[in-house]
Amino acid sequence: MPDPIKWEDGFLYLLDQRRIPFEVEYLKCTNYQDVAEAIEKMIVRGAPAIGIAAAYGIVLASHGGLPMVKEAVSRLSKTRPTAVNLFWALEKMERAATDFHDATAKDPGLILKDHLLEVAVGIHEEERRIEKLIALHGQSIVPPNCQVLTHCNAGALATGGIGTALGVIRMAQKIGKAIKVYCDETRPLLQGARLSSWELWMDGLDVTVICDDMAAFLMKKGKVDLVIVGADRIASNGDTANKIGTYNLAVLCKYHGIPFYVAAPRSTIDCSIKDGEAIPIEERDPDEVRTVRGVKIFLEDIPAWNPAFDVTPGDLISGIITEAGILKAPYRESIETAMRIDVNFEDAHWADSYLKQGGSEDGGI
């Protein structure tokens, strides 16, 4: 798999996810405006990946000192309003820049860019370790033989690591579980068909793409044992915003008695909001609905509605898989507890060797 986010020779390179799977091409970002436009155009996408890219965007603004850093934070914060990881990363970078500015009064020889690059790389590396822990914790809900349905793309392309939802699936396969994956195509931008299926196919998994409106019939035929999706923002009561169409799946799972899990780092949890009604939902250009790969499929005179996300109520979610463990209802209590846990990242190194070696002899953890 090509790395979706690379820092090389002082510049940021972002894999253009609009061109996958037929072309692998990188965009070179030389300033924070390039990064902002890449996020808005979904050259880079997925809540964790957006946060990581934005952190590197602040590094690119550091040559202008603290004033330009603040200018970059303001610009980047307007790119994608739903993904809370973006704001988490920007806040961390701005705080690092402010603290550094205060420190230079004592040591003028310090270089802001070097300091901010270290912080951004730290955010990137921490995300990689977090995803390995999510994959580990997720194994407790994946049976030895499992047919999994996923929506959109919560894999390496969306996160910078092994993925959240797809990370759980990847590790399940690595340790010897028999996994069959169905990917919703995920209209209108087809992230499931273009990205998730490609990632899983590259890893040698048994994967099949279905249209979004086929999920109910697939469940009725007994072809789905488990649904795992990612998240862009989780409220303090467990209500979860994710790619449009996720709510549909949760309702279908409730009817068919199928477990529905969300996999996400704790940085996706927004404890400042009490429920999903307070989550801002981005509405994108109607032309994304009106066209498929640049070809118009209905008249411009006909309106189109294009919310990028929907919100799944917490009471439809079987559990939220995080680096601190699997959170269960009542979510206010479990989320509050999880946010206080000091996670042992040494387990991520163990998970890494586990992924490379394929698990224990009996295929279990």
Side-chain angles (χ1 to χ4, degrees):
M1 282 294 303
D3 193 335
I5 303 170
K6 299 191 295 185
W7 180 269
E8 293 181 354
D9 302 322
F11 299 106
L12 179 63
Y13 293 84
L14 298 174
L15 181 65
D16 191 341
Q17 300 193 25
R18 302 168 304 175
R19 300 181 180 277
I20 293 172
F22 303 109
E23 298 176 49
V24 175
E25 183 177 304
Y26 282 87
L27 171 73
K28 181 180 179 180
C29 298
T30 62
N31 55 63
Y32 75 84
Q33 292 283 10
D34 290 344
V35 180
E37 290 176 12
I39 294 171
E40 289 170 341
K41 293 177 180 178
M42 296 183 72
I43 290 170
V44 60
R45 31 123 337 254
I50 288 171
I52 294 166
Y56 285 119
I58 298 302
V59 179
L60 291 172
S62 61
H63 68 87
L66 188 58
M68 185 170 285
V69 164
K70 290 184 176 294
E71 181 182 301
V73 168
S74 176
R75 171 69 178 94
L76 287 161
S77 67
K78 295 178 174 66
T79 54
R80 301 293 303 276
T82 303
V84 74
N85 308 64
L86 168 66
F87 304 98
W88 172 83
L90 288 174
E91 181 182 346
K92 191 167 185 175
M93 293 299 292
E94 184 174 21
R95 186 167 61 249
T98 302
D99 292 346
F100 182 88
H101 182 265
D102 295 340
T104 53
K106 300 178 181 178
D107 187 352
L110 296 174
I111 300 174
L112 178 60
K113 183 175 183 179
D114 291 345
H115 176 64
L116 291 182
L117 179 58
E118 184 178 344
V119 177
V121 169
I123 290 173
H124 198 169
E125 288 300 322
E126 181 178 335
E127 182 61 36
R128 288 189 174 111
R129 289 180 291 172
I130 283 171
E131 288 163 30
K132 290 168 186 173
L133 293 179
I134 289 172
L136 273 175
H137 291 304
Q139 296 315 302
S140 64
I141 58 104
V142 182
N145 292 278
C146 189
Q147 302 171 107
V148 188
L149 174 63
T150 190
H151 188 71
C152 195
N153 173 255
L157 295 170
T159 63
I162 63 170
T164 52
L166 296 196
V168 174
I169 294 169
R170 281 192 166 100
M171 182 171 282
Q173 181 222 28
K174 288 285 187 182
I175 63 176
K177 295 181 180 180
I179 304 295
K180 166 68 181 179
V181 188
Y182 292 97
C183 292
D184 275 348
E185 63 177 354
T186 319
R187 276 278 290 147
L189 295 182
L190 309 174
Q191 294 96 324
R194 294 188 302 105
L195 307 180
S196 288
S197 68
W198 183 63
E199 282 196 39
L200 296 169
W201 176 76
M202 292 274 283
D203 266 1
L205 277 99
D206 181 0
V207 58
T208 298
V209 174
I210 64 169
C211 297
D212 296 357
D213 54 7
M214 297 174 183
F217 192 46
L218 192 70
M219 291 178 181
K220 184 179 180 181
K221 292 175 71 65
K223 299 291 187 180
V224 180
D225 304 310
L226 174 68
V227 172
I228 311 177
V229 299
D232 286 81
R233 190 182 298 219
I234 301 171
S236 59
N237 72 335
D239 291 354
T240 296
N242 192 48
K243 182 56 57 183
I244 191 74
T246 302
Y247 179 33
N248 303 32
L249 291 179
V251 172
L252 291 172
C253 283
K254 182 75 170 180
Y255 180 82
H256 290 95
I258 296 169
F260 177 91
Y261 281 86
V262 171
R266 289 179 297 177
S267 57
T268 307
I269 299 173
D270 187 350
C271 292
S272 70
I273 57 175
K274 66 176 184 177
D275 57 40
E277 290 298 317
I279 297 177
I281 300 299
E282 174 188 4
E283 291 197 20
R284 295 184 60 82
D285 189 336
D287 273 348
E288 292 180 348
V289 175
R290 197 175 282 117
T291 62
V292 177
R293 306 290 282 181
V295 178
K296 286 188 172 61
I297 58 174
F298 63 90
L299 299 176
E300 290 188 8
D301 293 338
I302 301 173
W305 182 46
N306 189 20
F309 306 94
D310 56 27
V311 178
T312 299
D315 58 10
L316 293 179
I317 298 172
S318 304
I320 301 171
I321 311 167
T322 74
E323 69 271 28
I326 300 181
L327 314 186
K328 296 280 189 176
Y331 287 112
R332 290 194 193 280
E333 288 81 356
S334 62
I335 286 174
E336 185 178 339
T337 300
M339 299 304 277
R340 293 197 302 263
I341 292 175
D342 187 13
V343 171
N344 180 13
F345 282 110
E346 288 302 312
D347 287 344
H349 298 299
W350 180 78
D352 192 40
S353 63
Y354 213 86
L355 281 163
K356 291 176 182 177
Q357 296 171 12
S360 61
E361 290 183 0
D362 62 0
I365 287 183

